[in-house]
Amino acid sequence: MYAIPLGDDGAELRPVEPWQAEEFLAHVDRGREFIGQYNGLPDVVTDLESSRAFLQAYAEKAAADSGRLYGIRTGGTLVGAVLLRKLDIAQGTAEAGCWLEPSAVGKGLVTRAVRVIIDWAVEERGVHRVEWWVSTENEPSIAVARRLGMTKDGVLRESYLYRGKRHDEEIWSVLAPEWRAARKAN
């Protein structure tokens, strides 16, 4: 299996596949409370069967060219993930997302990893618009959108029902010409 280095600290990005369901479940368990603040993953991945089903769904999305899931690893340990939740090549749109265990927070891992998947979506798959949907309360994720040079498109008021509470969601995006210009400037 291949790995994409995320910097000089040994962090890397790798696909996460159904055969890794046990490791994936252990990762979710380590971060369950923290991840679950804004992300429904811990409510979906609750045991080995649901872990395998989640990973199988992303394997099927990859095969259909409609989504991707990549694990973030440090020291060989799965500590988070980035994904293209939606990938619509015909429309030229994608929605990126992420999560991390608490031990991996504050190291720039998500920003570095999302850069890789946006580069891939724009340059390899011809995506024109990449979106980032985030709870208005999730400041760290909003900070990632800003670091990536995304523009806040707006707020969907009380659009997301999560654990019995309605949340406002911000939509951020970057367009392929903006992405390329920013990458060229750096």
Side-chain angles (χ1 to χ4, degrees):
M1 180 171 24
Y2 69 89
I4 299 169
L6 293 176
D8 296 335
D9 58 0
E12 59 186 21
L13 198 60
R14 291 180 181 242
V16 184
E17 300 175 0
W19 63 270
Q20 297 167 304
E22 193 171 324
E23 177 187 25
F24 188 73
L25 176 60
H27 153 64
V28 173
D29 283 344
R30 284 191 304 271
R32 187 167 298 282
E33 219 173 288
F34 181 78
I35 295 167
Q37 292 177 87
Y38 304 106
N39 186 318
L41 177 71
D43 298 342
V44 173
V45 176
T46 58
D47 57 20
L48 189 55
E49 183 180 331
S50 59
S51 179
R52 189 172 290 110
F54 180 83
L55 295 177
Q56 183 63 42
Y58 271 91
E60 290 169 10
K61 282 185 172 195
D65 204 21
S66 64
R68 295 286 190 285
L69 173 66
Y70 298 98
I72 299 171
R73 293 179 177 276
T74 59
T77 301
L78 182 64
V79 297
V82 293
L83 68 162
L84 294 173
R85 280 184 13 98
K86 299 176 188 171
L87 178 62
D88 186 334
I89 299 303
Q91 287 295 317
T93 60
E95 179 191 340
C98 70
W99 65 82
L100 283 175
E101 294 178 19
S103 66
V105 171
K107 300 174 183 174
L109 294 170
V110 165
T111 302
R112 290 184 273 160
V114 174
R115 279 190 183 115
V116 170
I117 66 170
I118 292 175
D119 276 341
W120 178 83
V122 168
E123 302 303 342
E124 299 293 326
R125 301 305 297 127
V127 168
H128 177 73
R129 175 186 169 88
V130 178
E131 297 178 348
W132 187 261
W133 290 52
V134 58
S135 168
T136 56
E137 298 173 12
N138 190 344
E139 284 299 323
S141 191
I142 292 168
V144 169
R146 287 189 178 109
R147 282 193 298 276
L148 292 169
M150 293 183 161
T151 298
K152 182 176 170 180
D153 293 333
V155 177
L156 299 176
R157 297 177 311 133
E158 297 186 5
S159 62
Y160 183 59
L161 181 60
Y162 181 60
R163 296 181 174 176
K165 179 183 172 194
R166 291 222 159 261
H167 295 263
D168 293 349
E169 286 183 292
E170 294 183 7
I171 301 174
W172 292 72
S173 69
V174 65
L175 305 180
E178 298 165 344
W179 184 255
R180 289 184 184 116
R183 298 299 280 161
K184 195 176 275 188
N186 292 332

